[in-house]
Amino acid sequence: MSPEIIGIIIGVVIVVPTIYIARKSDSEEWVWPVFLVTLPLYYMVFGFLVMDSKAILLELLFGLPYILIGLLVWKFKFSSARILIAIAWLSHGFYDYYHDFLFVNSGVFSWYPAFCALVDIIVGSYLLVNGWRPMHGFGKSSDV
């Protein structure tokens, strides 16, 4: 079985219950921003696994927008936060897909880019489709 298929299977097994639990537990207002912040950290850990300081630095630089957006949305629950976080998740999916074209981090497992891209695109699409639905922090015009 190819690494991409393995990544896709693992992604589906993880993302579907995660969305369900986040939605049912009423924790979506903090789950998606906090998880977004962690995405670049995983890639940095892969760089640490092979002690590649250049890969770690590049992962930090490419991941900084996701860390900042996640922290911004987590801290300030403004009216368009869910749309912003959805776009960030979707763009991270493209980052995963094109990761090896940008630079090589030899610590990344062969199945991980497909896994992460699938998770990112599913979460981003879910948030984009459901972005109009007000939640505790998302979509309320009174939040500034």
Side-chain angles (χ1 to χ4, degrees):
M1 191 176 311
S2 76
E4 291 79 17
I5 298 297
I6 293 170
I8 289 169
I9 291 169
I10 295 170
V12 169
V13 167
I14 290 177
V15 76
V16 171
T18 302
I19 290 172
Y20 177 79
I21 291 168
R23 189 175 183 122
K24 290 296 180 187
S25 67
D26 204 27
S27 59
E28 288 190 299
E29 70 181 75
W30 67 265
V31 164
W32 305 124
V34 170
F35 283 1
L36 182 70
V37 168
T38 67
L39 297 179
L41 303 178
Y42 300 132
Y43 276 109
M44 291 172 64
V45 168
F46 294 141
F48 278 112
L49 290 175
V50 293
M51 301 306 291
D52 185 346
S53 58
K54 181 181 177 186
I56 296 166
L57 180 61
L58 288 170
E59 297 293 4
L60 175 63
L61 291 175
F62 279 92
L64 206 51
Y66 303 105
I67 294 169
L68 294 175
I69 289 169
L71 291 174
L72 177 72
V73 169
W74 173 71
K75 179 69 176 162
F76 306 103
K77 309 218 176 10
F78 46 93
S79 61
S80 57
R82 195 157 186 182
I83 301 302
L84 178 62
I85 208 82
I87 292 168
W89 275 91
L90 289 169
S91 71
H92 195 272
F94 288 106
Y95 172 74
D96 293 318
Y97 186 78
Y98 291 107
H99 184 271
D100 286 347
F101 295 109
L102 299 170
F103 61 93
V104 174
N105 179 345
S106 58
V108 176
F109 302 119
S110 59
W111 54 267
Y112 187 79
F115 157 77
C116 197
L118 177 81
V119 169
D120 294 348
I121 290 169
I122 289 174
V123 169
S125 299
Y126 164 74
L127 293 172
L128 200 57
V129 167
N130 292 297
W132 60 271
R133 294 183 185 167
M135 294 181 358
H136 292 286
F138 292 111
K140 290 185 176 179
S141 58
S142 62
D143 294 335
V144 179

